[in-house]
């Protein structure tokens, strides 16, 4: 009876045996951390008792994996587990709050995850370059690699990922310019590159990003013209260019109708404030530049105080002193 009970239990287990074997190998590669103590060989990995594991109801394959250390007890001290690449049905992978997860991203491993839709690796100790994820990962929609220790240049072939809509690389140690290929993303809606050491001039090809909603290039070493990011034909709603060395005539740009947040502070931008700036409703900061002219009245200008405009060459009018 005990034997029959064991057989019945095994037959009723949803977890695919191959996926279960891979998960236990991942646990081993992570040095059997306490945060994965619920991953037990005698339990069904598709049950909620397995922390961070999700299974697809259609085929009982592991479709999602989240490994994190919310209590900050630093129980995971290892390299990136290469066996993750053997979970061939994964559509989302989240690794975060793992400061002692070190080494580089194993490209050969992750590039096998051809069903992946969301890849999030944030707040870890991972370093090295960001790999050029292959176009065969045609379902990849969101790529968040923020707040790690990645270095080197931006991967120049990301634009070949046909469904990539979110690319977040902020808070790393990336260097070099933005590749001209980044103007050829098909569906990119969010591009966050802030708080790196990126430099150089922006490629004119970025003018092609007419359907990008959020762009953040702040806290880098970019220089020269950034006017190609503006335009009345674009859908951009949030644009942050602050803390760089951009130098262009702001008065000549056209603002997108949907733009509600603009921060160009701490640059070398000159000219007048552009038409329509009074329509911004959330963020407006043009401080620490070389702007001149009268600050427009009406619209939403009452929402923005002195800090939005001070330390310019000759801006005047409320909330700054009156024009002479």
């Amino acid at each position: 009876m005990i034997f029959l009970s064991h057989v019945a239990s095994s037959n009723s287990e949803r977890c695919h045996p191959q996926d279960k074997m891979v998960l236990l190998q991942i646990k081993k590669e992570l040095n059997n951390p306490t945060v994965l103590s619920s991953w037990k060989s005698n339990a069904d990995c598709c049950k909620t008792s397995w922390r961070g594991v999700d299974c697809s109801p259609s085929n009982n394959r592991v479709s999602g994996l989240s490994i994190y250390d919310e209590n900050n007890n630093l129980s995971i001290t290892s390299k990136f587990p290469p066996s993750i690449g053997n979970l061939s049905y994964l559509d989302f992978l989240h690794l975060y709050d793992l400061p002692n997860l070190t080494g580089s991203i194993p490209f050969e491993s992750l590039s096998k995850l051809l069903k992946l839709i969301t890849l999030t690796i944030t707040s870890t100790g991972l370093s090295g370059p960001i790999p050029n994820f292959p176009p065969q990962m045609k379902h990849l929609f969101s790529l968040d690699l923020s707040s790690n220790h990645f270095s080197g240049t931006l991967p120049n072939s990301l634009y070949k990922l046909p469904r990539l809509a979110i690319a977040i690389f902020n808070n790393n140690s990336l260097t070099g310019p933005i590749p001209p290929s980044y103007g050829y993303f098909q569906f990119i809606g969010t591009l966050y590159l802030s708080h790196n050491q990126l430099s150089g001039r922006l490629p004119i090809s970025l003018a092609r990003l007419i359907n990008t909603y959020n762009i953040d290039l702040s806290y880098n070493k970019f220089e020269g013209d950034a006017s190609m990011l503006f335009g009345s034909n674009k859908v951009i709603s949030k644009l942050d260019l602050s803390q760089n060395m951009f130098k262009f005539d702001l008065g000549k740009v056209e603002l997108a109708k949907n733009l509600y947040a603009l921060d160009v502070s701490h640059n070398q931008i000159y000219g007048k404030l552009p038409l329509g700036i009074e329509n911004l409703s959330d963020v407006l900061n043009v401080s620490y530049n070389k702007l001149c002219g009268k600050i427009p009245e009406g619209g939403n200008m009452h929402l923005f105080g002195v800090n939005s405009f001070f330390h310019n060459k000759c801006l005047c009018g409320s909330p700054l002193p009156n024009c002479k």
Side-chain angles (χ1 to χ4, degrees):
M1 291 181 65
I2 295 174
F3 173 76
L4 291 176
S5 174
H6 175 73
V7 170
S9 175
S10 298
N11 289 338
S12 64
E13 185 170 319
R14 288 179 53 209
C15 184
H16 193 282
Q18 181 179 338
D19 290 348
K20 186 173 187 177
M21 181 176 64
V22 172
L23 288 171
L24 292 173
Q25 179 62 27
I26 292 170
K27 180 181 178 181
K28 182 179 179 181
E29 291 170 354
L30 292 172
N31 297 320
N32 298 305
T34 56
V35 294
L36 298 183
S37 58
S38 62
W39 293 17
K40 297 179 180 179
S41 59
N42 61 351
D44 188 344
C45 75
C46 287
K47 296 283 181 68
T48 55
S49 59
W50 277 55
R51 184 179 190 259
V53 177
D54 287 279
C55 294
S56 171
S58 63
N59 58 14
N60 292 333
R61 302 303 297 262
V62 173
S63 58
L65 183 61
S66 298
I67 301 176
Y68 54 94
D69 193 353
E70 61 185 2
N71 296 322
N72 199 32
N73 58 21
L74 307 181
S75 66
I76 291 182
T77 303
S78 70
K79 303 291 185 180
F80 192 108
S83 291
I84 282 179
N86 295 325
L87 292 172
S88 54
Y89 284 81
L90 270 189
D91 58 40
F92 75 85
L93 173 61
H94 298 165
L95 305 174
Y96 56 96
D97 292 338
L98 302 171
N100 287 342
L101 182 68
T102 58
S104 59
I105 294 178
F107 172 73
E108 296 79 6
S109 174
L110 287 190
S111 62
K112 295 190 294 184
L113 300 176
L114 300 184
K115 296 182 182 295
L116 205 61
I117 297 172
T118 301
L119 175 59
T120 301
I121 302 174
T122 67
S123 301
T124 76
L126 291 177
S127 57
I130 295 175
N132 272 304
F133 294 94
Q136 289 80 6
M137 298 178 73
K138 60 183 180 181
H139 300 289
L140 193 60
F141 176 85
S142 175
L143 179 59
D144 184 352
L145 303 179
S146 60
S147 300
N148 297 291
H149 301 281
F150 295 124
S151 58
T153 58
L154 290 166
N156 60 18
S157 66
L158 283 184
Y159 77 101
K160 295 181 180 180
L161 294 168
R163 298 184 184 179
L164 190 66
I166 300 172
I168 303 177
F169 300 152
N170 50 288
N171 290 297
N172 281 290
S173 299
L174 300 171
T175 56
I178 295 178
S181 61
Y182 278 35
Y184 295 87
F185 280 111
Q186 297 182 48
F187 298 108
I188 200 76
T190 294
L191 181 62
Y192 287 168
L193 304 176
S194 69
H195 292 82
N196 279 286
Q197 299 173 37
L198 298 168
S199 60
R201 302 177 68 89
L202 301 186
I204 192 64
S205 60
L206 295 186
R208 297 170 52 89
L209 300 180
I210 62 174
N211 294 313
T212 304
Y213 292 93
N214 305 306
I215 298 178
D216 188 350
L217 307 182
S218 63
Y219 288 87
N220 280 291
K221 300 176 182 179
F222 293 120
E223 59 187 57
D225 191 5
S227 62
M228 79 287 291
L229 299 175
F230 295 84
S232 59
N233 64 326
K234 301 191 176 186
V235 300
I236 190 166
S237 56
K238 296 175 66 176
L239 178 60
D240 193 342
L241 305 177
S242 62
Q243 299 285 346
N244 281 287
M245 296 179 286
F246 288 121
K247 188 176 183 179
F248 62 96
D249 189 340
L250 188 63
K252 292 184 178 181
V253 306
E254 295 182 347
L255 301 183
K257 294 178 181 179
N258 297 324
L259 189 68
Y260 64 82
L262 175 65
D263 191 342
V264 297
S265 62
H266 294 269
N267 281 286
Q268 301 172 30
I269 298 170
Y270 57 91
K272 299 179 179 180
L273 294 177
L275 293 174
I277 201 167
E278 65 276 8
N279 297 323
L280 298 179
S281 58
D282 187 29
V283 174
L284 172 58
N285 194 343
V286 298
S287 63
Y288 290 93
N289 279 291
K290 299 180 179 181
L291 297 167
C292 278
K294 188 177 186 299
I295 297 173
E297 299 176 353
N300 296 318
M301 297 305 287
H302 66 282
L303 299 175
F304 308 112
V306 173
N307 291 350
S308 294
F309 305 99
F310 67 177
H311 289 280
N312 273 285
K313 184 177 180 181
C314 48
L315 276 183
C316 59
S318 180
L320 298 180
N322 293 331
C323 301
K324 297 181 180 178

